[in-house]
Amino acid sequence: MKKSQSKFSSMLLGTALVASVASGATNELSKVMKERGLSEIDVIRAAKTYNPTGVKDEYVVFSSGGQSGQVIVYGVPSMRILKYIGVFTPEPWQGYGFDKDSLEVLRQGNIRGREINWGDTHHPALSEIDGKYDGKWLAINDKANPRIAIIDLADFETKQIVPNPVFKSDHGGAFFTPNSEYIIEASQYAAPFDNNYHPIEEYKETYRGGVTMWKFDNKIGRIMPDDSFTIEFPPYHQDLSDAGKGISYGWGFTNSFNTEMYTGGIEVGMPPNEAGMSRNDTDFLHVYNWEKLAKLAENPKNVKIINNHKVVPMDIAVKNNALFLIPEPKSPHGVDVDPTGQYLIVCGKLDTHASVYDFKKIKKLIDNKEYAGKDPYGIPILDMKKSLHGQLELGLGPLHNQYSPVDGEVYTSLYVDSQVVKWNFKDLKVIDKENVHYNIGHLAGMEGKSADPQGDYIIALNKLAIDRFQNVGPLHPQNHQLIDIKGKTMDLLVDMPLPLGEPHQAVAIRASKLHPHVRYKMGTNSKTGKIHKGKTLAGEERIERDGKNVTVYATLVRSHINPERITVNKGDKVTIHMTNLERAQDETHGFTIDNYDIHGSLEPGETTTLEFTADVEGVFPYYCTEFCSALHLEMMGYMMVKDPDKKYVSAQKLKMKTMSPEELKAEYDKTVAVNNATDAVIQSVVKFLKDNKFQDHKVVANLVTDALDQYNKIPEQKKKADEALKAGDTEKAILFENMIWQLMVKTADVGIRAKDTLVRKISTKQSAAAARGEVAFAEGGCNGCHVIGKVSSGPDLTGVLQRHENGEQWVSNFILDPESMYDDPYVKGMIDYFNLKMPNQHMSEEETKDIIEYLKWIEENANLF
Ligand code: K7E
Ligand code: CUA
């Protein structure tokens, strides 16, 4: 009832909104709505998620990429994908796993010597200060091959992968503690901590679960394995975890299933795991004091070393009052600490209830040593009822929780019911339910699990999409649905198909908290953040040979790779260090060589290394893989691999026709003349920029820096051209002069962009009508003949309104009906001069009025054109 009321009232609102739009727009809008079969509520939902070009999102979401082993980055509310970050899996575009430096990161993830090239990512986590996101680091776990990876949010690249030395799978990680002191990683399927064989009959004695507390250095963004430790748990299957905050600071919480310690055996006639593992009514929530355990772990007496890693045994934890169990409804999934740290909500996926535990009550039981019993491993059990604030029936299959900024409000996913439920965990009341499609797993609020939840939206991460999208075969995309939670009731806005893997969990952060850079300091190894040993500046390019080792120091800059020829012997070990000399934003160059399965992506200022053995004879083109400029295709070279044991017969020299010295001289003169003319244009732009104080506008100043970057390379080329000419090599001189022209074109390209930007900055503000007029002027094709500030195939329109008596009327008559004025003596003169007649472009009265306003704006700013 409530739901339908709300839908009805937003529909009324929609009608009002549409009615208030100018009448012309309404007609267009109704036409589109009719054609596409959209209701008014659809249009409102679309408007809530639509970003016009250039408009950016309010939130950035980091979603696990599931079986892709990657992280997916997208914006909210637009749900536009921004990036896939290679983490546990090679990612060719970014060169991740295809250049030596990133391969070193990927190979940190080797387990027991084996190279692993995939991952099953589940839970991304953002680093925190005081329980709030600081926007610096992202951690994510791999469930299949228990590992944690660290991604730097300064460049969205993976910097570290740390395999777990004792677990054989993990699930309850990654979770940061409130000041990013540690990252929590809980095991999933109990297994022996050592790497030996242990018969399943000895499960209870030799198999173990646990939680690894990875020490994290938030300044440098790295896990410190030597300062980390694992807390041994019984062989229950530990599931999700969370870190306490506020009054529960220093504590960790991990739930579990299969406290039955059932080990299956269908093949020998036993009931399957799914029956045996869910037999009991309750499982155990593990409550542990990581702060105390971290201190204990510093003393070698308190730890066992397994696989070179510190493990705190259960009995040490128990003896020091640092480990407890509390019964929780069977086979739970999420355990989520509220923003204050006082309440933890546990969802039992096989139970219809959510259980709200009160940490104050838990702490009291612990302090009073009031135990309800002990588990088979001697861990004290706290009474469930006495720990609970209360329970509430939510629906079928509750899984995960996200908090809202409103005190007591929480959103919970219902897997079986395919719903999100909004409820109050303090009053224990359901507020609203929203259907999602289908079988929701996690849900992501905006900073919804931090100490500072923002509300605004919930994203439903659905396991099944079924009928939501175009059929693309039996493997369907995943479905992320954006839900507006700004109102009293939830409103599902839009679906986003994700075709990369099952994205278990996502975390969202305000975009304003992220400050990634746009270029690297020249010569940076992005994987270490330090200056790369292969850093090469312009002029330092070289090929060094040392026996069978060939080292190339190369540079890439629009639009050439230096060197352009690399000749090696078959069997040589080739190392190519490459530096992208660009400083301009978004000027990435890529590099690959035919046949060698290598690829580097070099962002401005980055240095990276490709390494391979030249084991195949032949000629192999290499080239830049990013379309980086108009001369991108020319950005190439050849690697030639010779067999040193083979005799090569030289091919017949072809007689090539060559130019006469006179012809060459003429071409040289022509090239120089073109360069001089181009330089004059550049100088006029430079004068304009200086006269109008471009330094006062940062955007313009940046563009000028980019332009000068190119321009400053000219003297060096000029010197080479002149030297060649002096030495009598006119051919070479022409080529260098050509190079100068290329640099001038690049300078002019950016310079003119700087000028246009500056004009916008210093000109008077355009009225709405003038802005519309500018659009009409462009779309009406007027600029095909009229260039403002210049005579081109039609007259310059600067000052046109002053040229005639009653100028505005005159010009507007001429636009609306040019034919009627062809006999006007002035118009006649123009027609003769330009040999063109002003055509009727069928502008409306409205557009013509706007164009007049635009022309007035031009007149006000005539000095700028
Ligand atoms: Cu899919 Cu967090 Cu691994 Cu729940 S998990 S759904
Ligand atoms: Cu550099 Cu294409």
Side-chain angles (χ1 to χ4, degrees):
M1 181 62 196
K2 189 159 49 69
K3 181 103 259 175
S4 62
Q5 253 175 13
S6 96
K7 299 257 149 89
F8 182 57
S9 56
S10 26
M11 231 147 89
L12 284 182
L13 194 94
T15 318
L17 179 119
V18 171
S20 73
V21 176
S23 62
T26 310
N27 289 341
E28 178 71 15
L29 186 58
S30 344
K31 202 175 123 212
V32 173
M33 286 168 66
K34 214 169 139 199
E35 276 170 10
R36 302 204 61 215
L38 300 176
S39 69
E40 277 151 6
I41 188 76
D42 289 336
V43 173
I44 292 172
R45 287 174 181 150
K48 282 182 176 177
T49 63
Y50 176 70
N51 276 357
T53 178
V55 172
K56 292 168 194 164
D57 280 307
E58 196 183 344
Y59 294 99
V60 173
V61 178
F62 297 90
S63 170
S64 82
Q67 301 87 334
S68 76
Q70 302 184 2
V71 165
I72 305 163
V73 186
Y74 61 86
V76 160
S78 77
M79 305 299 271
R80 297 183 302 195
I81 293 177
L82 301 168
K83 195 166 223 173
Y84 296 136
I85 305 172
V87 184
F88 299 109
T89 312
E91 202 293 315
W93 181 34
Q94 293 147 28
Y96 186 69
F98 297 92
D99 68 56
K100 183 172 181 264
D101 302 297
S102 61
L103 198 59
E104 276 170 12
V105 176
L106 195 63
R107 289 294 163 251
Q108 289 172 19
N110 289 8
I111 296 184
R112 298 164 71 181
R114 187 190 301 284
E115 290 180 3
I116 295 173
N117 287 312
W118 90 289
D120 184 14
T121 56
H122 274 240
H123 304 108
L126 287 157
S127 55
E128 300 177 7
I129 295 296
D130 283 337
K132 297 173 189 165
Y133 297 155
D134 64 1
K136 286 171 72 181
W137 313 102
L138 183 82
I140 190 159
N141 73 312
D142 170 9
K143 168 169 166 168
N145 323 284
R147 299 178 290 179
I148 301 277
I150 304 294
I151 294 156
D152 187 347
L153 297 181
D155 60 3
F156 290 51
E157 285 193 355
T158 303
K159 299 300 161 78
Q160 186 185 28
I161 298 178
V162 182
N164 193 296
V166 291
F167 296 165
K168 308 300 181 268
S169 65
D170 80 16
H171 189 250
F175 297 95
F176 277 98
T177 57
N179 290 307
S180 305
E181 303 95 332
Y182 286 91
I183 297 169
I184 297 179
E185 180 190 19
S187 59
Q188 177 113 83
Y189 305 118
F193 276 3
D194 66 33
N195 291 339
N196 304 332
Y197 163 74
H198 294 272
I200 194 85
E201 290 71 25
E202 293 167 14
Y203 181 86
K204 291 176 184 165
E205 294 77 21
T206 58
Y207 288 48
R208 287 295 175 262
V211 159
T212 301
M213 300 298 301
W214 290 111
K215 182 76 192 141
F216 188 71
D217 184 334
N218 199 42
K219 275 219 179 69
I220 60 166
R222 296 293 185 275
I223 285 173
M224 303 296 180
D226 292 345
D227 302 328
S228 307
F229 63 98
T230 292
I231 314 162
E232 181 195 36
F233 284 172
Y236 312 144
H237 291 342
Q238 279 72 28
D239 200 42
L240 279 157
S241 310
D242 204 0
K245 51 170 109 54
I247 70 159
S248 57
Y249 176 85
W251 292 80
F253 309 97
T254 299
N255 52 27
S256 62
F257 63 100
N258 194 27
T259 47
E260 297 84 352
M261 296 188 277
Y262 187 67
T263 56
I266 299 187
E267 64 296 326
V268 294
M270 297 287 287
N273 277 331
E274 58 179 315
M277 290 184 181
S278 56
R279 179 170 151 193
N280 296 349
D281 281 341
T282 54
D283 284 302
F284 285 129
L285 174 67
H286 301 60
V287 178
Y288 45 95
N289 188 332
W290 60 259
E291 209 183 9
K292 193 190 256 182
L293 289 161
K295 289 217 182 72
L296 288 172
E298 284 169 14
N299 186 340
K301 279 204 315 220
N302 294 325
V303 297
K304 270 196 287 198
I305 303 293
I306 305 176
N307 297 336
N308 282 320
H309 173 77
K310 288 187 265 189
V311 176
V312 181
M314 284 184 269
D315 56 333
I316 299 279
V318 168
K319 211 167 28 185
N320 287 282
N321 295 316
L323 176 60
F324 305 90
L325 300 170
I326 312 177
E328 53 186 2
K330 70 160 127 183
S331 299
H333 199 33
V335 46
D336 299 293
V337 177
D338 89 307
T340 67
Q342 187 183 343
Y343 299 95
L344 356 156
I345 301 177
V346 172
C347 288
K349 58 186 188 307
L350 297 186
D351 187 274
T352 51
H353 293 87
S355 305
V356 186
Y357 291 86
D358 182 342
F359 186 75
K360 280 191 179 157
K361 293 184 176 179
I362 295 173
K363 191 72 195 338
K364 210 166 128 203
L365 294 174
I366 290 174
D367 290 343
N368 296 340
K369 301 207 170 175
E370 191 184 331
Y371 306 143
K374 283 189 173 176
D375 87 331
Y377 296 88
I379 306 173
I381 300 171
L382 308 180
D383 185 78
M384 179 170 170
K385 282 227 172 69
K386 287 183 184 162
S387 315
L388 277 175
H389 164 69
Q391 286 182 307
L392 180 64
E393 180 157 334
L394 296 180
L396 296 178
L399 293 188
H400 299 287
N401 308 289
Q402 291 283 315
Y403 294 92
S404 111
V406 181
D407 186 39
E409 260 179 32
V410 63
Y411 295 80
T412 301
S413 51
L414 301 179
Y415 176 81
V416 180
D417 277 344
S418 292
Q419 286 183 323
V420 172
V421 45
K422 172 182 176 180
W423 56 291
N424 188 303
F425 66 84
K426 289 191 175 164
D427 317 342
L428 300 170
K429 281 203 185 82
V430 170
I431 302 168
D432 186 31
K433 286 187 177 184
E434 178 78 12
N435 293 329
V436 295
H437 313 86
Y438 301 90
N439 296 86
I440 178 174
H442 276 271
L443 71 180
M446 303 300 108
E447 308 188 10
K449 281 240 346 236
S450 73
D452 191 20
Q454 299 295 302
D456 292 348
Y457 305 100
I458 285 281
I459 303 163
L461 281 66
N462 304 303
K463 302 293 181 193
L464 304 181
I466 304 188
D467 56 0
R468 292 295 101 172
F469 307 112
Q470 215 69 47
N471 186 352
V472 288
L475 178 63
H476 294 241
Q478 299 279 312
N479 187 12
H480 282 201
Q481 293 182 304
L482 184 70
I483 299 170
D484 183 351
I485 58 166
K486 288 174 182 150
K488 262 208 155 67
T489 55
M490 292 177 274
D491 186 30
L492 182 95
L493 297 178
V494 74
D495 293 9
M496 173 176 63
L498 270 182
L500 203 69
E502 183 189 335
H504 291 266
Q505 164 65 321
V507 285
I509 182 171
R510 274 167 280 178
S512 59
K513 286 188 155 191
L514 297 172
H515 308 285
H517 38 243
V518 298
R519 64 176 69 77
Y520 293 104
K521 200 171 160 214
M522 192 55 66
T524 302
N525 176 346
S526 74
K527 304 304 173 294
T528 62
K530 305 204 172 92
I531 293 300
H532 199 292
K533 70 174 193 313
K535 170 183 173 180
T536 309
L537 296 178
E540 297 174 355
E541 299 90 349
R542 63 198 182 275
I543 301 176
E544 289 176 356
R545 291 168 212 273
D546 173 15
K548 289 188 87 56
N549 295 316
V550 179
T551 309
V552 182
Y553 294 84
T555 60
L556 292 90
V557 73
R558 272 164 295 168
S559 306
H560 52 265
I561 300 166
N562 187 350
E564 293 185 329
R565 298 170 197 170
I566 302 171
T567 308
V568 301
N569 283 325
K570 188 177 161 187
D572 282 355
K573 197 178 144 233
V574 183
T575 304
I576 307 180
H577 300 300
M578 298 172 297
T579 301
N580 178 351
L581 296 177
E582 305 282 353
R583 293 195 300 161
Q585 187 167 337
D586 202 10
E587 266 309 331
T588 290
H589 298 290
F591 182 92
T592 188
I593 305 182
D594 168 45
N595 202 277
Y596 280 90
D597 196 28
I598 48 176
H599 182 231
S601 171
L602 295 118
E603 280 67 69
E606 185 175 350
T607 298
T608 194
T609 301
L610 296 182
E611 209 179 60
F612 57 96
T613 303
D615 49 6
V616 185
E617 179 198 334
V619 174
F620 305 91
Y622 52 81
Y623 70 96
C624 167
T625 60
E626 287 276 328
F627 205 112
C628 52
S629 72
L631 287 158
H632 150 78
L633 294 181
E634 289 77 354
M635 194 163 176
M636 59 83 63
Y638 288 105
M639 180 176 77
M640 288 152 288
V641 183
K642 288 192 298 190
D643 186 336
D645 302 325
K646 228 162 139 180
K647 269 234 159 68
Y648 295 96
V649 186
S650 113
Q652 186 82 40
K653 282 227 164 110
L654 285 171
K655 270 252 183 288
M656 299 288 286
K657 191 178 168 286
T658 51
M659 279 171 129
S660 71
E662 292 73 31
E663 284 169 332
L664 275 173
K665 183 67 182 33
E667 191 187 339
Y668 172 82
D669 289 342
K670 198 178 108 204
T671 311
V672 170
V674 169
N675 284 354
N676 289 342
T678 312
D679 197 36
V681 174
I682 292 175
Q683 291 314 325
S684 76
V685 173
V686 168
K687 180 166 182 308
F688 176 89
L689 288 166
K690 280 191 185 152
D691 288 352
N692 292 291
K693 300 208 170 50
F694 73 92
Q695 320 86 308
D696 297 353
H697 307 276
K698 188 153 179 281
V699 203
V700 183
N702 284 345
L703 286 169
V704 171
T705 310
D706 284 352
L708 288 180
D709 247 11
Q710 300 293 327
Y711 196 73
N712 291 338
K713 290 175 188 149
I714 291 176
E716 195 192 323
Q717 301 294 324
K718 186 73 192 163
K719 207 174 128 214
K720 289 182 187 165
D722 292 348
E723 276 167 12
L725 192 69
K726 229 165 112 195
D729 192 343
T730 317
E731 181 112 37
K732 205 170 173 192
I734 291 170
L735 292 178
F736 280 121
E737 287 292 341
N738 262 330
M739 188 61 227
I740 292 172
W741 186 74
Q742 298 297 354
L743 290 167
M744 283 178 169
V745 169
K746 285 171 206 160
T747 308
D749 181 37
V750 186
I752 287 167
R753 229 184 315 147
K755 183 184 168 194
D756 290 347
T757 313
L758 185 58
V759 166
R760 292 284 154 181
K761 293 263 173 210
I762 59 183
S763 57
T764 56
K765 197 171 164 346
Q766 267 185 348
S767 66
R772 284 197 305 270
E774 184 171 10
V775 174
F777 187 83
E779 288 182 355
C782 310
N783 54 1
C785 294
H786 300 285
V787 177
I788 305 300
K790 231 202 240 158
V791 177
S792 65
S793 41
D796 178 11
L797 295 182
T798 318
V800 66
L801 300 176
Q802 312 302 324
R803 270 179 229 157
H804 308 274
E805 204 165 316
N806 243 334
E808 292 183 28
Q809 194 55 49
W810 193 97
V811 173
S812 100
N813 291 345
F814 193 43
I815 296 174
L816 289 166
D817 187 7
E819 290 96 338
S820 73
M821 291 163 74
Y822 287 162
D823 287 334
D824 174 299
Y826 177 83
V827 176
K828 224 167 172 286
M830 286 288 150
I831 292 174
D832 288 348
Y833 181 82
F834 288 100
N835 201 15
L836 263 179
K837 283 178 181 158
M838 162 90 166
N840 190 337
Q841 297 294 81
H842 304 286
M843 294 285 181
S844 69
E845 299 256 357
E846 209 40 56
E847 286 168 327
T848 306
K849 257 197 224 151
D850 291 341
I851 290 177
I852 299 290
E853 289 307 308
Y854 172 53
L855 291 170
K856 280 197 214 158
W857 176 81
I858 290 171
E859 261 162 45
E860 278 166 31
N861 297 288
N863 59 320
L864 299 178
F865 294 101

